[in-house]
Amino acid sequence: MLPQPIRRLVQQLTHLPGVGDKTAQRFALHLATSDPSLAQELGKALSTLREAIGPCPRCGNLAERMEADPRGWCDICRDSRRDSSLLCVVGRIQDLLSIERSGAIRGHYFVLGRLLSPLEGVGAEELPLAALERRIRDPDEPVREVLVATPPSVDGEATALLLAEQLRPLGVRVTRIASGIPHGGDLEFADPVTIGRAIQGRRGLE
Ligand SMILES: [Zn+2]
């Protein structure tokens, strides 16, 4: 029914999170029939995306690759006005963005990329704990408090406990965001006020 180039586009679009066949078809038909500049600009942005960005070697956030900064650091790591003594550990980049939107803290971050998951067989050795320790021990920007902002789910809590245990010998204060975000809830979808409260009400992890 649909020409092959559109079918191909639909097929690729369905690989995106939250995009099913119908949505993919709607996107593809829109791109094929609206102002051609949309498809062209989108195509350009997509074709250069992976070369233009990469993981920040310091925190795991996404960083723009720039010749001016061969360190490859992200905007947050490069921002010297931030409180470098506060390191907020999150599971995913989306969670970092939610906390940034709440404006509750202006510290630095560390993105784990995944959570400890006993049920799915993700063990401590699959988390970037060595990189996190290196970051905490950075002599130029010593960290005093590690705020664990993993989600309030089974995996998020297991990860928080593991971090408290692993980081205790480093002499940093380890805190955990307070509840308020429903159990099993996602930081990404929590409103900024709730996230702000959870951060204000953080408590020590002993
Ligand atoms: Zn960074």
Side-chain angles (χ1 to χ4, degrees), residues 56 58-61 73-74 76-77:
C56 172
R58 194 167 192 240
C59 75
N61 186 15
W73 285 10
C74 69
I76 293 176
C77 284

Side-chain angles (χ1 to χ4, degrees), residues 8-136:
R8 195 175 131 214
L9 179 59
V10 168
Q11 217 248 323
Q12 293 302 319
L13 287 168
T14 55
H15 292 137
L16 296 172
V19 178
D21 286 338
K22 275 190 186 164
T23 306
Q25 211 174 78
R26 200 165 80 231
F27 285 171
L29 289 175
H30 183 76
L31 287 163
T33 56
S34 63
D35 189 332
S37 67
L38 176 61
Q40 281 153 6
E41 288 304 317
L42 189 63
K44 264 189 245 167
L46 287 175
S47 64
T48 56
L49 181 69
R50 297 307 294 257
E51 289 86 62
I53 52 129
C56 172
R58 194 167 192 240
C59 75
N61 186 15
L62 284 175
E64 185 180 352
R65 292 189 216 272
M66 290 188 293
E67 273 174 40
D69 185 1
R71 296 174 303 182
W73 285 10
C74 69
D75 288 349
I76 293 176
C77 284
R78 283 202 314 262
D79 186 350
S80 58
R81 292 161 303 176
R82 285 174 178 264
D83 176 5
S84 59
S85 71
L86 173 62
L87 188 70
C88 181
V89 178
V90 294
R92 305 172 310 158
I93 292 170
Q94 291 96 312
D95 301 335
L96 178 160
L97 296 175
S98 301
I99 294 170
E100 276 294 292
R101 263 199 305 276
S102 80
I105 44 168
R106 293 285 288 168
H108 284 259
Y109 292 89
F110 189 89
V111 183
L112 293 170
R114 62 193 316 178
L115 299 174
L116 193 66
S117 180
L119 283 177
E120 285 172 36
V122 181
E125 65 287 348
E126 288 175 65
L127 300 186
L129 296 175
L132 175 58
E133 276 197 39
R134 270 199 305 279
R135 172 66 187 86
I136 292 169

